[in-house]
Structures are given as C-alpha cells and as structure tokens.
Amino acid sequence: MSTPDARSVEYAVDCKNRHRIRLHLAVGVFALLMPAACTVAPQPKGQVVGVTLKDFHIDTGTPSVIGGDVVMQVHNAAPATHEFVVVRTNLPADGLPIGPDGLSVNEDWLDRVGELNEVAAGTVDTLPLQLAPGRYVFFCNLDGHYLGGMHAVLEVSAGG
Ligand SMILES: [Cu+2]
C-alpha cells in the first residue's frame, strides 16, 4: 500500500516577461518646470550686466558699461546647457580663432577674462569681473555653439 507522493511541482518562472518602464513623461515635465527656476541670487557688488543665453544666440542687456566692478548675470533661457566665456579682444565677435577641432574657439590664443563652465538650462549664474576699459566678446564654447551664433560684444569705457 505504498502511495509514493511523486508529485513534483515546478514553478517555471518565465523571466522573459520583463517590462521596462520608461518615464519619458518625467523628462518633458522637468523641462517645462525649469523656467520657474530663473530666480535672482544675492549679488556681489558692481554694475549688473544682464545676459541671456539662447539656442543659439546671446543677448546682452546693455551694449556698454563703465569700467570697474561688473557682475555678469547670466540667464540660460535655452533648453540646453550652455557655457559663458568672456575674452578681451578687438577681433569681430564672429571672427575669433577656431581650434583644430573646427568646432570651438581656441581660448588659448585669447585673453580670457572669466568663464562660467556650465550654466544649466533655466538657471541664472553670476560672474563677478573687474573690467578695464576695452572691448570684450562673450561666447559659448561648447562644440559648434560659437559657430552657431552664440557670441556678443560688450564695450567697456573709461569712467568719468
Ligand atoms: Cu552653448
């Protein structure tokens, strides 16, 4: 009277039914909310020059300032990260030397005064500078951005 229990239960776990959930939605919502982050941080002393970075353009709030302490207030209104480089030069804004990569300005050949490496989309960053009288060019030096039109001029005059 043996009733050997030969039942064997096998749970075949099928691992082929993995679902990958991709949250494309989150990225879109994030981009929409970013402009709300454009707030003004406490300022260092100096004349404030507002600059707006766009794809692919740089707007300056003023074409000229008097030499001395200047605070560059850089608002990246574009949907992408940009850079903000300041050089002192008499070259045309669209005539800066291009490096061997053919995509960016060769900053080593220029008198670089200051720079913000990365200005995230939708944020404001500040760059305090002491500007002697002269002519200055701003540009974004991420690959192709300068050639795409991201440059502007600021004239700095002697004080009265
Ligand atoms: Cu850029």
Side-chain angles (χ1 to χ4, degrees), residues 31-55:
L32 285 173
L33 291 177
M34 285 310 287
C38 286
T39 54
V40 177
Q43 296 301 312
K45 291 204 169 184
Q47 305 164 86
V48 175
V49 175
V51 175
T52 305
L53 307 179
K54 298 175 180 175
D55 289 348

mmCIF file with all atom_site columns, all heavy atoms in Angstrom, residues 31-55:
data_model
loop_
_atom_site.group_PDB
_atom_site.id
_atom_site.type_symbol
_atom_site.label_atom_id
_atom_site.label_alt_id
_atom_site.label_comp_id
_atom_site.label_asym_id
_atom_site.label_entity_id
_atom_site.label_seq_id
_atom_site.pdbx_PDB_ins_code
_atom_site.Cartn_x
_atom_site.Cartn_y
_atom_site.Cartn_z
_atom_site.occupancy
_atom_site.B_iso_or_equiv
_atom_site.pdbx_formal_charge
_atom_site.auth_seq_id
_atom_site.auth_comp_id
_atom_site.auth_asym_id
_atom_site.auth_atom_id
_atom_site.pdbx_PDB_model_num
ATOM 1   N N   . ALA A 1 31 ? 11.442 69.665  -18.104 1.00 0.00 ? 31 ALA A N   1
ATOM 2   C CA  . ALA A 1 31 ? 11.811 70.761  -18.996 1.00 0.00 ? 31 ALA A CA  1
ATOM 3   C C   . ALA A 1 31 ? 10.829 71.912  -18.887 1.00 0.00 ? 31 ALA A C   1
ATOM 4   O O   . ALA A 1 31 ? 11.209 73.075  -18.925 1.00 0.00 ? 31 ALA A O   1
ATOM 5   C CB  . ALA A 1 31 ? 11.896 70.254  -20.433 1.00 0.00 ? 31 ALA A CB  1
ATOM 6   N N   . LEU A 1 32 ? 9.551  71.608  -18.722 1.00 0.00 ? 32 LEU A N   1
ATOM 7   C CA  . LEU A 1 32 ? 8.544  72.648  -18.637 1.00 0.00 ? 32 LEU A CA  1
ATOM 8   C C   . LEU A 1 32 ? 8.664  73.450  -17.342 1.00 0.00 ? 32 LEU A C   1
ATOM 9   O O   . LEU A 1 32 ? 8.374  74.629  -17.302 1.00 0.00 ? 32 LEU A O   1
ATOM 10  C CB  . LEU A 1 32 ? 7.145  72.036  -18.719 1.00 0.00 ? 32 LEU A CB  1
ATOM 11  C CG  . LEU A 1 32 ? 6.709  71.569  -20.104 1.00 0.00 ? 32 LEU A CG  1
ATOM 12  C CD1 . LEU A 1 32 ? 5.389  70.835  -20.008 1.00 0.00 ? 32 LEU A CD1 1
ATOM 13  C CD2 . LEU A 1 32 ? 6.605  72.746  -21.061 1.00 0.00 ? 32 LEU A CD2 1
ATOM 14  N N   . LEU A 1 33 ? 9.093  72.783  -16.291 1.00 0.00 ? 33 LEU A N   1
ATOM 15  C CA  . LEU A 1 33 ? 9.158  73.446  -14.990 1.00 0.00 ? 33 LEU A CA  1
ATOM 16  C C   . LEU A 1 33 ? 10.418 74.288  -14.819 1.00 0.00 ? 33 LEU A C   1
ATOM 17  O O   . LEU A 1 33 ? 10.465 75.167  -13.991 1.00 0.00 ? 33 LEU A O   1
ATOM 18  C CB  . LEU A 1 33 ? 9.095  72.409  -13.863 1.00 0.00 ? 33 LEU A CB  1
ATOM 19  C CG  . LEU A 1 33 ? 7.750  71.702  -13.720 1.00 0.00 ? 33 LEU A CG  1
ATOM 20  C CD1 . LEU A 1 33 ? 7.832  70.644  -12.635 1.00 0.00 ? 33 LEU A CD1 1
ATOM 21  C CD2 . LEU A 1 33 ? 6.642  72.698  -13.403 1.00 0.00 ? 33 LEU A CD2 1
ATOM 22  N N   . MET A 1 34 ? 11.434 74.007  -15.611 1.00 0.00 ? 34 MET A N   1
ATOM 23  C CA  . MET A 1 34 ? 12.716 74.663  -15.399 1.00 0.00 ? 34 MET A CA  1
ATOM 24  C C   . MET A 1 34 ? 12.686 76.195  -15.461 1.00 0.00 ? 34 MET A C   1
ATOM 25  O O   . MET A 1 34 ? 13.366 76.835  -14.680 1.00 0.00 ? 34 MET A O   1
ATOM 26  C CB  . MET A 1 34 ? 13.771 74.132  -16.392 1.00 0.00 ? 34 MET A CB  1
ATOM 27  C CG  . MET A 1 34 ? 14.282 72.758  -16.032 1.00 0.00 ? 34 MET A CG  1
ATOM 28  S SD  . MET A 1 34 ? 14.799 72.618  -14.308 1.00 0.00 ? 34 MET A SD  1
ATOM 29  C CE  . MET A 1 34 ? 16.333 73.557  -14.357 1.00 0.00 ? 34 MET A CE  1
ATOM 30  N N   . PRO A 1 35 ? 11.931 76.821  -16.377 1.00 0.00 ? 35 PRO A N   1
ATOM 31  C CA  . PRO A 1 35 ? 11.942 78.292  -16.405 1.00 0.00 ? 35 PRO A CA  1
ATOM 32  C C   . PRO A 1 35 ? 11.547 78.908  -15.066 1.00 0.00 ? 35 PRO A C   1
ATOM 33  O O   . PRO A 1 35 ? 11.968 80.006  -14.733 1.00 0.00 ? 35 PRO A O   1
ATOM 34  C CB  . PRO A 1 35 ? 10.929 78.625  -17.502 1.00 0.00 ? 35 PRO A CB  1
ATOM 35  C CG  . PRO A 1 35 ? 10.987 77.446  -18.400 1.00 0.00 ? 35 PRO A CG  1
ATOM 36  C CD  . PRO A 1 35 ? 11.184 76.258  -17.466 1.00 0.00 ? 35 PRO A CD  1
ATOM 37  N N   . ALA A 1 36 ? 10.773 78.201  -14.262 1.00 0.00 ? 36 ALA A N   1
ATOM 38  C CA  . ALA A 1 36 ? 10.380 78.716  -12.959 1.00 0.00 ? 36 ALA A CA  1
ATOM 39  C C   . ALA A 1 36 ? 11.580 78.842  -12.027 1.00 0.00 ? 36 ALA A C   1
ATOM 40  O O   . ALA A 1 36 ? 11.514 79.524  -11.009 1.00 0.00 ? 36 ALA A O   1
ATOM 41  C CB  . ALA A 1 36 ? 9.336  77.810  -12.338 1.00 0.00 ? 36 ALA A CB  1
ATOM 42  N N   . ALA A 1 37 ? 12.692 78.192  -12.387 1.00 0.00 ? 37 ALA A N   1
ATOM 43  C CA  . ALA A 1 37 ? 13.873 78.226  -11.530 1.00 0.00 ? 37 ALA A CA  1
ATOM 44  C C   . ALA A 1 37 ? 14.721 79.470  -11.778 1.00 0.00 ? 37 ALA A C   1
ATOM 45  O O   . ALA A 1 37 ? 15.750 79.655  -11.162 1.00 0.00 ? 37 ALA A O   1
ATOM 46  C CB  . ALA A 1 37 ? 14.717 76.981  -11.767 1.00 0.00 ? 37 ALA A CB  1
ATOM 47  N N   . CYS A 1 38 ? 14.299 80.338  -12.702 1.00 0.00 ? 38 CYS A N   1
ATOM 48  C CA  . CYS A 1 38 ? 15.069 81.535  -13.016 1.00 0.00 ? 38 CYS A CA  1
ATOM 49  C C   . CYS A 1 38 ? 14.872 82.585  -11.931 1.00 0.00 ? 38 CYS A C   1
ATOM 50  O O   . CYS A 1 38 ? 14.096 83.520  -12.083 1.00 0.00 ? 38 CYS A O   1
ATOM 51  C CB  . CYS A 1 38 ? 14.674 82.114  -14.366 1.00 0.00 ? 38 CYS A CB  1
ATOM 52  S SG  . CYS A 1 38 ? 15.301 81.159  -15.739 1.00 0.00 ? 38 CYS A SG  1
ATOM 53  N N   . THR A 1 39 ? 15.551 82.421  -10.840 1.00 0.00 ? 39 THR A N   1
ATOM 54  C CA  . THR A 1 39 ? 15.450 83.402  -9.777  1.00 0.00 ? 39 THR A CA  1
ATOM 55  C C   . THR A 1 39 ? 16.785 84.112  -9.624  1.00 0.00 ? 39 THR A C   1
ATOM 56  O O   . THR A 1 39 ? 17.806 83.619  -10.069 1.00 0.00 ? 39 THR A O   1
ATOM 57  C CB  . THR A 1 39 ? 15.083 82.725  -8.448  1.00 0.00 ? 39 THR A CB  1
ATOM 58  O OG1 . THR A 1 39 ? 16.031 81.694  -8.201  1.00 0.00 ? 39 THR A OG1 1
ATOM 59  C CG2 . THR A 1 39 ? 13.693 82.134  -8.496  1.00 0.00 ? 39 THR A CG2 1
ATOM 60  N N   . VAL A 1 40 ? 16.742 85.262  -9.017  1.00 0.00 ? 40 VAL A N   1
ATOM 61  C CA  . VAL A 1 40 ? 17.947 86.065  -8.886  1.00 0.00 ? 40 VAL A CA  1
ATOM 62  C C   . VAL A 1 40 ? 18.590 85.811  -7.519  1.00 0.00 ? 40 VAL A C   1
ATOM 63  O O   . VAL A 1 40 ? 17.955 85.986  -6.491  1.00 0.00 ? 40 VAL A O   1
ATOM 64  C CB  . VAL A 1 40 ? 17.602 87.557  -9.049  1.00 0.00 ? 40 VAL A CB  1
ATOM 65  C CG1 . VAL A 1 40 ? 18.832 88.400  -8.851  1.00 0.00 ? 40 VAL A CG1 1
ATOM 66  C CG2 . VAL A 1 40 ? 16.986 87.796  -10.417 1.00 0.00 ? 40 VAL A CG2 1
ATOM 67  N N   . ALA A 1 41 ? 19.837 85.369  -7.548  1.00 0.00 ? 41 ALA A N   1
ATOM 68  C CA  . ALA A 1 41 ? 20.565 85.102  -6.307  1.00 0.00 ? 41 ALA A CA  1
ATOM 69  C C   . ALA A 1 41 ? 21.138 86.416  -5.763  1.00 0.00 ? 41 ALA A C   1
ATOM 70  O O   . ALA A 1 41 ? 21.211 87.399  -6.483  1.00 0.00 ? 41 ALA A O   1
ATOM 71  C CB  . ALA A 1 41 ? 21.680 84.110  -6.592  1.00 0.00 ? 41 ALA A CB  1
ATOM 72  N N   . PRO A 1 42 ? 21.527 86.445  -4.501  1.00 0.00 ? 42 PRO A N   1
ATOM 73  C CA  . PRO A 1 42 ? 22.171 87.639  -3.944  1.00 0.00 ? 42 PRO A CA  1
ATOM 74  C C   . PRO A 1 42 ? 23.382 88.036  -4.780  1.00 0.00 ? 42 PRO A C   1
ATOM 75  O O   . PRO A 1 42 ? 24.162 87.177  -5.188  1.00 0.00 ? 42 PRO A O   1
ATOM 76  C CB  . PRO A 1 42 ? 22.596 87.185  -2.546  1.00 0.00 ? 42 PRO A CB  1
ATOM 77  C CG  . PRO A 1 42 ? 21.691 86.054  -2.220  1.00 0.00 ? 42 PRO A CG  1
ATOM 78  C CD  . PRO A 1 42 ? 21.371 85.385  -3.524  1.00 0.00 ? 42 PRO A CD  1
ATOM 79  N N   . GLN A 1 43 ? 23.534 89.310  -5.006  1.00 0.00 ? 43 GLN A N   1
ATOM 80  C CA  . GLN A 1 43 ? 24.547 89.780  -5.945  1.00 0.00 ? 43 GLN A CA  1
ATOM 81  C C   . GLN A 1 43 ? 25.817 90.279  -5.269  1.00 0.00 ? 43 GLN A C   1
ATOM 82  O O   . GLN A 1 43 ? 25.753 90.951  -4.251  1.00 0.00 ? 43 GLN A O   1
ATOM 83  C CB  . GLN A 1 43 ? 23.960 90.941  -6.757  1.00 0.00 ? 43 GLN A CB  1
ATOM 84  C CG  . GLN A 1 43 ? 22.799 90.538  -7.623  1.00 0.00 ? 43 GLN A CG  1
ATOM 85  C CD  . GLN A 1 43 ? 23.189 89.474  -8.608  1.00 0.00 ? 43 GLN A CD  1
ATOM 86  O OE1 . GLN A 1 43 ? 24.211 89.597  -9.291  1.00 0.00 ? 43 GLN A OE1 1
ATOM 87  N NE2 . GLN A 1 43 ? 22.434 88.412  -8.677  1.00 0.00 ? 43 GLN A NE2 1
ATOM 88  N N   . PRO A 1 44 ? 26.964 89.983  -5.876  1.00 0.00 ? 44 PRO A N   1
ATOM 89  C CA  . PRO A 1 44 ? 28.182 90.681  -5.488  1.00 0.00 ? 44 PRO A CA  1
ATOM 90  C C   . PRO A 1 44 ? 28.067 92.139  -5.937  1.00 0.00 ? 44 PRO A C   1
ATOM 91  O O   . PRO A 1 44 ? 27.208 92.474  -6.749  1.00 0.00 ? 44 PRO A O   1
ATOM 92  C CB  . PRO A 1 44 ? 29.275 89.966  -6.278  1.00 0.00 ? 44 PRO A CB  1
ATOM 93  C CG  . PRO A 1 44 ? 28.657 88.741  -6.837  1.00 0.00 ? 44 PRO A CG  1
ATOM 94  C CD  . PRO A 1 44 ? 27.186 88.986  -6.909  1.00 0.00 ? 44 PRO A CD  1
ATOM 95  N N   . LYS A 1 45 ? 28.950 92.999  -5.450  1.00 0.00 ? 45 LYS A N   1
ATOM 96  C CA  . LYS A 1 45 ? 28.857 94.411  -5.810  1.00 0.00 ? 45 LYS A CA  1
ATOM 97  C C   . LYS A 1 45 ? 29.389 94.664  -7.209  1.00 0.00 ? 45 LYS A C   1
ATOM 98  O O   . LYS A 1 45 ? 30.304 94.002  -7.670  1.00 0.00 ? 45 LYS A O   1
ATOM 99  C CB  . LYS A 1 45 ? 29.648 95.252  -4.802  1.00 0.00 ? 45 LYS A CB  1
ATOM 100 C CG  . LYS A 1 45 ? 28.990 95.267  -3.431  1.00 0.00 ? 45 LYS A CG  1
ATOM 101 C CD  . LYS A 1 45 ? 29.389 96.496  -2.629  1.00 0.00 ? 45 LYS A CD  1
ATOM 102 C CE  . LYS A 1 45 ? 28.513 96.620  -1.389  1.00 0.00 ? 45 LYS A CE  1
ATOM 103 N NZ  . LYS A 1 45 ? 28.792 97.834  -0.621  1.00 0.00 ? 45 LYS A NZ  1
ATOM 104 N N   . GLY A 1 46 ? 28.787 95.659  -7.850  1.00 0.00 ? 46 GLY A N   1
ATOM 105 C CA  . GLY A 1 46 ? 29.236 96.043  -9.174  1.00 0.00 ? 46 GLY A CA  1
ATOM 106 C C   . GLY A 1 46 ? 28.052 96.329  -10.063 1.00 0.00 ? 46 GLY A C   1
ATOM 107 O O   . GLY A 1 46 ? 26.909 96.039  -9.709  1.00 0.00 ? 46 GLY A O   1
ATOM 108 N N   . GLN A 1 47 ? 28.350 96.917  -11.217 1.00 0.00 ? 47 GLN A N   1
ATOM 109 C CA  . GLN A 1 47 ? 27.295 97.156  -12.195 1.00 0.00 ? 47 GLN A CA  1
ATOM 110 C C   . GLN A 1 47 ? 26.821 95.817  -12.728 1.00 0.00 ? 47 GLN A C   1
ATOM 111 O O   . GLN A 1 47 ? 27.630 94.980  -13.115 1.00 0.00 ? 47 GLN A O   1
ATOM 112 C CB  . GLN A 1 47 ? 27.835 97.970  -13.371 1.00 0.00 ? 47 GLN A CB  1
ATOM 113 C CG  . GLN A 1 47 ? 28.484 99.280  -12.990 1.00 0.00 ? 47 GLN A CG  1
ATOM 114 C CD  . GLN A 1 47 ? 29.323 99.805  -14.137 1.00 0.00 ? 47 GLN A CD  1
ATOM 115 O OE1 . GLN A 1 47 ? 28.805 100.481 -15.018 1.00 0.00 ? 47 GLN A OE1 1
ATOM 116 N NE2 . GLN A 1 47 ? 30.612 99.494  -14.145 1.00 0.00 ? 47 GLN A NE2 1
ATOM 117 N N   . VAL A 1 48 ? 25.528 95.625  -12.747 1.00 0.00 ? 48 VAL A N   1
ATOM 118 C CA  . VAL A 1 48 ? 24.991 94.350  -13.218 1.00 0.00 ? 48 VAL A CA  1
ATOM 119 C C   . VAL A 1 48 ? 24.735 94.424  -14.721 1.00 0.00 ? 48 VAL A C   1
ATOM 120 O O   . VAL A 1 48 ? 24.098 95.359  -15.204 1.00 0.00 ? 48 VAL A O   1
ATOM 121 C CB  . VAL A 1 48 ? 23.679 94.002  -12.483 1.00 0.00 ? 48 VAL A CB  1
ATOM 122 C CG1 . VAL A 1 48 ? 23.058 92.738  -13.063 1.00 0.00 ? 48 VAL A CG1 1
ATOM 123 C CG2 . VAL A 1 48 ? 23.948 93.835  -10.994 1.00 0.00 ? 48 VAL A CG2 1
ATOM 124 N N   . VAL A 1 49 ? 25.291 93.471  -15.413 1.00 0.00 ? 49 VAL A N   1
ATOM 125 C CA  . VAL A 1 49 ? 25.029 93.348  -16.850 1.00 0.00 ? 49 VAL A CA  1
ATOM 126 C C   . VAL A 1 49 ? 24.258 92.051  -17.058 1.00 0.00 ? 49 VAL A C   1
ATOM 127 O O   . VAL A 1 49 ? 24.783 90.957  -16.806 1.00 0.00 ? 49 VAL A O   1
ATOM 128 C CB  . VAL A 1 49 ? 26.338 93.327  -17.665 1.00 0.00 ? 49 VAL A CB  1
ATOM 129 C CG1 . VAL A 1 49 ? 26.046 93.065  -19.140 1.00 0.00 ? 49 VAL A CG1 1
ATOM 130 C CG2 . VAL A 1 49 ? 27.091 94.638  -17.491 1.00 0.00 ? 49 VAL A CG2 1
ATOM 131 N N   . GLY A 1 50 ? 23.026 92.182  -17.464 1.00 0.00 ? 50 GLY A N   1
ATOM 132 C CA  . GLY A 1 50 ? 22.207 91.003  -17.722 1.00 0.00 ? 50 GLY A CA  1
ATOM 133 C C   . GLY A 1 50 ? 22.547 90.394  -19.070 1.00 0.00 ? 50 GLY A C   1
ATOM 134 O O   . GLY A 1 50 ? 22.674 91.096  -20.064 1.00 0.00 ? 50 GLY A O   1
ATOM 135 N N   . VAL A 1 51 ? 22.701 89.094  -19.075 1.00 0.00 ? 51 VAL A N   1
ATOM 136 C CA  . VAL A 1 51 ? 22.986 88.374  -20.321 1.00 0.00 ? 51 VAL A CA  1
ATOM 137 C C   . VAL A 1 51 ? 22.022 87.206  -20.405 1.00 0.00 ? 51 VAL A C   1
ATOM 138 O O   . VAL A 1 51 ? 21.783 86.527  -19.407 1.00 0.00 ? 51 VAL A O   1
ATOM 139 C CB  . VAL A 1 51 ? 24.436 87.849  -20.342 1.00 0.00 ? 51 VAL A CB  1
ATOM 140 C CG1 . VAL A 1 51 ? 24.693 86.998  -21.575 1.00 0.00 ? 51 VAL A CG1 1
ATOM 141 C CG2 . VAL A 1 51 ? 25.430 88.998  -20.282 1.00 0.00 ? 51 VAL A CG2 1
ATOM 142 N N   . THR A 1 52 ? 21.468 86.991  -21.583 1.00 0.00 ? 52 THR A N   1
ATOM 143 C CA  . THR A 1 52 ? 20.571 85.855  -21.774 1.00 0.00 ? 52 THR A CA  1
ATOM 144 C C   . THR A 1 52 ? 21.136 84.927  -22.836 1.00 0.00 ? 52 THR A C   1
ATOM 145 O O   . THR A 1 52 ? 21.460 85.363  -23.943 1.00 0.00 ? 52 THR A O   1
ATOM 146 C CB  . THR A 1 52 ? 19.168 86.342  -22.202 1.00 0.00 ? 52 THR A CB  1
ATOM 147 O OG1 . THR A 1 52 ? 18.687 87.272  -21.237 1.00 0.00 ? 52 THR A OG1 1
ATOM 148 C CG2 . THR A 1 52 ? 18.196 85.173  -22.289 1.00 0.00 ? 52 THR A CG2 1
ATOM 149 N N   . LEU A 1 53 ? 21.269 83.656  -22.456 1.00 0.00 ? 53 LEU A N   1
ATOM 150 C CA  . LEU A 1 53 ? 21.747 82.649  -23.405 1.00 0.00 ? 53 LEU A CA  1
ATOM 151 C C   . LEU A 1 53 ? 20.551 81.952  -24.019 1.00 0.00 ? 53 LEU A C   1
ATOM 152 O O   . LEU A 1 53 ? 19.616 81.561  -23.315 1.00 0.00 ? 53 LEU A O   1
ATOM 153 C CB  . LEU A 1 53 ? 22.614 81.613  -22.682 1.00 0.00 ? 53 LEU A CB  1
ATOM 154 C CG  . LEU A 1 53 ? 23.771 82.146  -21.845 1.00 0.00 ? 53 LEU A CG  1
ATOM 155 C CD1 . LEU A 1 53 ? 24.520 80.989  -21.185 1.00 0.00 ? 53 LEU A CD1 1
ATOM 156 C CD2 . LEU A 1 53 ? 24.724 82.963  -22.705 1.00 0.00 ? 53 LEU A CD2 1
ATOM 157 N N   . LYS A 1 54 ? 20.603 81.804  -25.332 1.00 0.00 ? 54 LYS A N   1
ATOM 158 C CA  . LYS A 1 54 ? 19.536 81.103  -26.045 1.00 0.00 ? 54 LYS A CA  1
ATOM 159 C C   . LYS A 1 54 ? 20.172 80.137  -27.031 1.00 0.00 ? 54 LYS A C   1
ATOM 160 O O   . LYS A 1 54 ? 21.368 80.195  -27.288 1.00 0.00 ? 54 LYS A O   1
ATOM 161 C CB  . LYS A 1 54 ? 18.649 82.108  -26.800 1.00 0.00 ? 54 LYS A CB  1
ATOM 162 C CG  . LYS A 1 54 ? 17.947 83.102  -25.879 1.00 0.00 ? 54 LYS A CG  1
ATOM 163 C CD  . LYS A 1 54 ? 17.176 84.137  -26.674 1.00 0.00 ? 54 LYS A CD  1
ATOM 164 C CE  . LYS A 1 54 ? 16.470 85.123  -25.738 1.00 0.00 ? 54 LYS A CE  1
ATOM 165 N NZ  . LYS A 1 54 ? 15.815 86.202  -26.472 1.00 0.00 ? 54 LYS A NZ  1
ATOM 166 N N   . ASP A 1 55 ? 19.354 79.269  -27.611 1.00 0.00 ? 55 ASP A N   1
ATOM 167 C CA  . ASP A 1 55 ? 19.816 78.383  -28.704 1.00 0.00 ? 55 ASP A CA  1
ATOM 168 C C   . ASP A 1 55 ? 19.622 79.143  -30.016 1.00 0.00 ? 55 ASP A C   1
ATOM 169 O O   . ASP A 1 55 ? 18.494 79.250  -30.461 1.00 0.00 ? 55 ASP A O   1
ATOM 170 C CB  . ASP A 1 55 ? 19.001 77.106  -28.765 1.00 0.00 ? 55 ASP A CB  1
ATOM 171 C CG  . ASP A 1 55 ? 19.276 76.142  -27.613 1.00 0.00 ? 55 ASP A CG  1
ATOM 172 O OD1 . ASP A 1 55 ? 20.243 76.327  -26.869 1.00 0.00 ? 55 ASP A OD1 1
ATOM 173 O OD2 . ASP A 1 55 ? 18.495 75.207  -27.477 1.00 0.00 ? 55 ASP A OD2 1
#
